Amino acid sequence: MNNLNGILLMIAAMAGFALEDLFVKLLSSTISTGQILIVLGACSSIGFALMAYIKGHNIFAAHVWTRATIARASADAIAAVAFVTSLSLVPISTVAAVFQVTPLVITMGAALFLGEQVGWRRWTAITVGFIGVLIIIRPGLSGFDPAVLLVLISVVGVAARDLITRRIPENVASTVISFQAFASLIVAGTILLFLSSDTLVAVSELEAAYFVGGVFFGGAGYYGIVAAMRVGDASTVTPFRYTRLLFSLVIGVLVFNERPDALTLLGAAIVIGTGFFTFLRERRALSRSEIRV
């Protein structure tokens, strides 16, 4: 029963993130990326600052501002800038399809930079997964859109963020780390406004509703993942992260009248398939190490 609840929470979390992407994409048609980041970052960072205060965590303590935490926040900011910009330029279904390669990039990064053991089967899966991405973006062909490379930049940023997180001491609370991540969006958004010709504009009631929806569903997605991992076994609930692509495809078709072609769907299937395989191999490797211990 716990695993079933965990699966349902994970699916709900992925639906939340897909809906957050929907509202961000709607906002991007009239609001600059910089302003979107500033508003989302301010609302979310205030929320996590309040949570940290309630739990007695000091967000200004010297020990929580280290090279690792600052690097993590910076990686998060880069990922957010690239992701939000890509949503404004690329179909949401394509963004979601390419973004599914993130677990493969994390596995590759763990092998290259953290010294984790990755066998030839997982390296093969990673290679095939990147072939799937190439099928989706089609570089050099008439259907290639350079803006889709922003999704890959976001993927690298998210992978770097998650790998750096493993180096952060346990005495730094999750609420503080989350506050730092969202506060970095305010900085990133401000820099974007300074470097571009964009300015802050008045927000209409409809746009305000979009912002509320983005913050609410983004927060709900974040909470859902945490709850899912605590309620169910990680090995059971983690594969259901891929349902985010399904929700994004439905949103793309119903809201934005997108029609993903056969190559995009084929590439997405390859990426998800290799992601599942890599996850199963990692779980098997972990089981063997636990048996040896």
Side-chain angles (χ1 to χ4, degrees):
M1 189 63 182
N2 285 341
N3 280 336
L4 176 60
N5 290 335
I7 289 171
L8 294 176
L9 283 167
M10 181 61 76
I11 293 174
M14 294 303 102
F17 284 134
L19 289 170
E20 178 190 24
D21 294 344
L22 162 64
F23 288 115
V24 170
K25 188 169 182 63
L26 290 171
L27 284 166
S28 67
S29 63
T30 54
I31 305 292
S32 68
T33 298
Q35 185 169 348
I36 292 174
L37 290 173
I38 290 172
V39 175
L40 294 180
C43 293
S44 299
S45 60
I46 289 173
F48 280 108
L50 290 174
M51 290 175 60
Y53 175 78
I54 293 172
K55 293 185 177 183
H57 303 148
N58 186 358
I59 61 175
F60 299 111
H63 77 275
V64 304
W65 294 95
T66 64
R67 289 182 180 179
T69 57
I70 294 174
R72 184 194 186 280
S74 300
D76 223 346
I78 292 171
V81 169
F83 191 80
V84 172
T85 305
S86 69
L87 279 175
S88 68
L89 301 172
V90 181
I92 191 172
S93 53
T94 302
V95 172
V98 176
F99 199 73
Q100 302 308 309
V101 79
T102 303
L104 297 177
V105 176
I106 293 174
T107 299
M108 182 177 68
L112 295 177
F113 302 110
L114 300 183
E116 295 187 9
Q117 295 298 315
V118 175
W120 68 270
R121 292 181 180 84
R122 277 187 283 174
W123 276 116
T124 301
I126 291 172
T127 302
V128 174
F130 282 120
I131 292 174
V133 171
L134 291 177
I135 292 174
I136 297 171
I137 64 178
R138 280 158 267 181
L141 301 180
S142 58
F144 173 62
D145 183 358
V148 79
L149 297 178
L150 289 167
V151 189
L152 292 177
I153 294 175
S154 179
V155 167
V156 172
V158 169
R161 177 200 68 188
D162 288 355
L163 293 173
I164 293 171
T165 302
R166 302 184 187 184
R167 299 299 190 186
I168 295 177
E170 293 183 2
N171 64 341
V172 182
S174 296
T175 53
V176 175
I177 294 174
S178 299
F179 164 78
Q180 293 171 335
F182 284 107
S184 72
L185 302 190
I186 303 175
V187 177
T190 302
I191 293 174
L192 276 182
L193 289 179
F194 179 77
L195 295 178
S196 68
S197 58
D198 297 325
T199 58
L200 294 174
V201 298
V203 177
S204 68
E205 292 183 0
L206 180 60
E207 290 164 341
Y210 289 161
F211 271 120
V212 171
V215 172
F216 174 80
F217 284 108
Y222 185 91
Y223 175 83
I225 281 185
V226 174
M229 299 302 287
R230 287 182 172 178
V231 170
D233 297 331
S235 59
T236 301
V237 303
T238 296
F240 288 88
R241 285 177 178 266
Y242 290 110
T243 56
R244 179 175 181 173
L245 175 58
L246 176 61
F247 290 121
S248 296
L249 288 172
V250 172
I251 289 172
V253 171
L254 297 181
V255 180
F256 300 106
N257 198 32
E258 296 175 1
R259 294 294 184 270
D261 58 23
L263 284 178
T264 298
L265 296 176
L266 172 62
I270 291 174
V271 171
I272 291 177
T274 52
F276 266 118
F277 177 82
T278 302
F279 173 77
L280 291 174
R281 293 298 303 179
E282 288 176 351
R283 187 174 70 171
R284 183 175 299 179
L286 180 61
S287 299
R288 282 200 297 262
S289 65
E290 289 176 346
I291 291 173
R292 288 170 187 163
V293 172

